Amino acid sequence: LNQEKLKLVFETCQNFQIENPNQVYYLNLFTDKRFLKNDFADADHLNGKGSDKCSKIVNSYIEEIIK
């Protein structure tokens, strides 16, 4: 992965959240240890198992926000 582009993506997402408090929530799962190599179809994309795992993580995050 291109580290400069990755840094720009992270910064852009963080800034978008800061500029839109209580409207935009940034959930960075890039280094989340719950994801294993066998959750990925390739370097950038989750496979079916990984996408199911990701959906559950995101759902839990959303449920915490709306409480």
Side-chain angles (χ1 to χ4, degrees), residues 5-51:
K5 287 183 181 179
L6 189 59
K7 181 180 177 190
L8 179 60
V9 168
F10 290 157
E11 289 174 354
T12 300
C13 291
Q14 290 168 343
N15 288 337
F16 193 62
Q17 178 181 341
I18 291 167
E19 294 166 2
N20 300 279
N22 300 316
Q23 295 176 349
V24 174
Y25 299 87
Y26 174 46
L27 176 60
N28 182 348
L29 299 175
F30 188 74
T31 60
D32 193 301
K33 301 296 183 203
R34 292 173 284 190
F35 292 101
L36 307 173
K37 286 186 179 189
N38 64 354
D39 290 324
F40 291 87
D42 59 34
D44 294 339
H45 301 94
L46 295 167
N47 60 25
K49 179 182 169 190
S51 64

Side-chain angles (χ1 to χ4, degrees), residues 27 34 53-67:
L27 176 60
R34 292 173 284 190
K53 185 183 289 188
C54 185
S55 293
K56 289 175 184 174
I57 293 168
V58 171
N59 188 54
S60 291
Y61 183 76
I62 293 169
E63 287 176 350
E64 287 299 314
I65 291 171
I66 63 174
K67 281 186 178 178

